[in-house]
């Protein structure tokens, strides 16, 4: 792995406070398309169900999921689907072509297979989801929209994450980091040649997230990827606001995971010192980034 790591720049004019954008959890256009079931959608749904990459998913991808994909195609975010990049317990990630043949990643959560209780642990206490019901479909949709909102906020704060593109129901479209035949590698899969430099980048991204009001909540060498010398933070679905009742516990765990990994790589890393760095108030003399 390259020892040259660069930090991305925060977006100009963005100041973070305690404000939180509202996240609409009402039915979206995908739900209305699935209920309407016109001829164009029915033809699209049949083609998708016949596609090789979706045949094994028919039992867990409902009509509203296909409607979400249909709406994303209509909106120009997806031109063509490729095969799966990764398959997980709760979601599959597919390679797809976006506008102008750009490659994008399409993350599709399975509503029937998702860990409802696990998701609620991260949603309850988040001011953006106060009063969320117990309907499993609504919880999963909230999770996906939360992931999209977290990616947007992280990107504005100058944290390198996959660029969020669009979201419909339980389907998230984002930048594909790397390509399917040359996928980005998790830190757990590579030999870190300059762990001190990599650690400096990761801890700075953790601090930027915290100053933007977010805690990743599941940060480790498995949710940090490297591609062409660039470190990228992934899987922000479970990220919580700093006001979440378990935010400090989650941050302490993130610090232990990150520090322990880089210690094993030979870096001078300490969980308590990392926590202090991440949560430190911004010094008046600190360079503006």
């Amino acid at each position: 792995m390259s020892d040259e790591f660069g930090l991305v720049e925060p977006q100009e004019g963005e100041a973070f406070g305690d404000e939180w954008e509202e996240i609409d959890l009402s039915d979206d256009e995908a739900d209305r398309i699935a209920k309407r079931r016109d001829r164009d959608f029915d033809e699209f749904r049949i083609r998708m169900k016949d596609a090789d990459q979706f045949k094994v998913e028919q039992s867990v991808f409902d009509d509203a999921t296909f409607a979400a994909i249909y709406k994303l195609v209509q909106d120009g975010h997806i031109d063509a689907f490729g095969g799966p990049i990764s398959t997980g317990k709760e979601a599959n990630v597919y390679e797809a072509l976006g506008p102008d043949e750009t490659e994008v990643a399409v993350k599709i959560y399975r509503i029937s297979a998702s860990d409802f209780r696990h998701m609620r642990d991260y949603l309850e206490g988040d001011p953006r989801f106060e009063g969320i019901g117990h309907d499993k479909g609504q919880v999963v949709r909230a999770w996906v929209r939360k992931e999209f909102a977290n990616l947007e906020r992280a990107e504005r704060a100058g944290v390198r994450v996959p660029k969020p593109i669009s979201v419909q129901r339980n389907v998230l479209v984002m930048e594909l980091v790397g390509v399917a035949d040359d996928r980005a590698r998790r830190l757990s899969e590579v030999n870190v040649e300059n762990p001190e430099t990599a650690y400096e980048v990761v801890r700075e991204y953790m601090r930027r997230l915290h100053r933007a009001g977010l805690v990743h909540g599941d940060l480790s060498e498995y949710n940090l990827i490297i591609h062409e010398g660039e470190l990228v933070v992934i899987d922000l679905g479970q990220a919580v606001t700093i006001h979440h009742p378990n935010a400090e516990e989650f941050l302490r765990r993130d610090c232990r995971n990150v520090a322990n990994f880089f210690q094993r790589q030979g870096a001078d890393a300490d969980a308590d010192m990392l926590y202090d760095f991440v949560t430190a108030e911004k010094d008046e003399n600190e360079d503006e980034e």
Side-chain angles (χ1 to χ4, degrees):
M1 187 178 76
S2 170
D3 60 358
E4 295 181 2
F5 304 103
L7 291 165
V8 299
E9 292 296 322
Q11 294 184 10
E12 292 290 335
E14 183 65 37
F16 296 101
D18 289 340
E19 78 290 348
W20 289 101
E21 65 278 23
E22 291 186 10
I23 299 180
D24 183 9
L25 299 181
S26 60
D27 284 359
D28 55 23
E29 184 61 23
D31 296 285
R32 291 187 283 273
I33 289 171
K35 291 173 184 176
R36 192 164 60 240
R37 294 286 294 271
D38 62 21
R39 186 178 66 182
D40 288 342
F41 169 60
D42 271 342
E43 290 177 353
F44 176 86
R45 179 176 57 85
I46 291 169
R47 289 200 309 272
M48 293 295 289
K49 286 190 173 184
D50 286 342
D52 289 340
Q53 61 265 53
F54 290 110
K55 282 181 179 177
V56 296
E57 302 291 352
Q58 289 186 26
S59 62
V60 289
F61 284 0
D62 59 14
D63 285 352
T65 297
F66 288 117
I69 299 170
Y70 177 74
K71 182 65 168 62
L72 291 163
V73 170
Q74 282 188 322
D75 290 344
H77 299 302
I78 301 172
D79 285 345
F81 258 93
I85 298 170
S86 65
T87 57
K89 179 181 178 182
E90 297 177 341
N92 283 7
V93 181
Y94 295 87
E95 180 187 23
L97 283 180
D100 302 321
E101 296 191 350
T102 56
E103 293 183 318
V104 298
V106 182
K107 189 173 187 178
I108 305 177
Y109 280 89
R110 305 183 192 89
I111 288 180
S112 63
S114 294
D115 189 338
F116 173 83
R117 293 178 181 175
H118 167 77
M119 289 180 171
R120 286 197 62 86
D121 288 343
Y122 289 91
L123 290 171
E124 290 179 345
D126 189 318
R128 297 170 293 179
F129 300 98
E130 290 180 0
I132 188 171
H134 290 270
D135 176 79
K136 188 171 186 178
Q138 186 182 41
V139 169
V140 174
R141 291 195 298 271
W143 182 271
V144 180
R145 296 185 192 186
K146 173 171 175 272
E147 183 168 4
F148 184 82
N150 289 344
L151 286 169
E152 285 189 317
R153 181 166 279 246
E155 183 183 37
R156 293 198 304 269
V159 179
R160 180 65 174 100
V161 295
K163 181 179 180 61
I165 296 171
S166 188
V167 63
Q168 279 286 332
R169 199 174 180 264
N170 57 317
V171 182
L172 171 65
V173 182
M174 56 189 165
E175 170 195 3
L176 176 59
V177 181
V179 293
D181 57 0
D182 183 25
R183 69 177 179 85
R185 301 288 175 179
R186 299 176 189 271
L187 280 192
S188 61
E189 300 175 311
V190 301
N191 176 36
V192 184
E193 295 176 2
N194 193 332
E196 292 286 355
T197 304
Y199 177 58
E200 290 298 315
V201 173
V202 173
R203 73 174 196 152
E204 177 60 27
Y205 282 162
M206 291 177 70
R207 180 162 71 172
R208 290 182 183 184
L209 272 180
H210 193 267
R211 288 180 175 176
L214 288 175
V215 172
H216 187 285
D218 192 28
L219 194 62
S220 72
E221 63 269 29
Y222 301 101
N223 288 325
L224 291 162
I225 61 177
I226 177 74
H227 184 68
E228 295 182 347
E230 189 172 46
L231 282 164
V232 186
V233 182
I234 62 171
D235 293 338
L236 271 77
Q238 75 292 315
V240 300
T241 77
I242 57 174
H243 305 295
H244 189 284
N246 297 325
E248 182 171 356
E249 175 190 344
F250 293 157
L251 179 57
R252 291 278 187 185
R253 184 176 63 195
D254 284 353
C255 290
R256 287 195 300 271
N257 289 340
V258 170
N260 288 343
F261 171 76
F262 281 105
Q263 281 176 0
R264 293 194 299 272
Q265 298 296 313
D268 182 14
D270 175 82
D272 291 336
M273 292 178 66
L274 176 57
Y275 177 86
D276 290 342
F277 176 85
V278 170
T279 58
E281 295 291 334
K282 192 168 186 177
D283 192 287
E284 290 183 0
N285 297 321
E286 187 176 327
D287 290 338
E288 294 295 332
E289 297 177 328

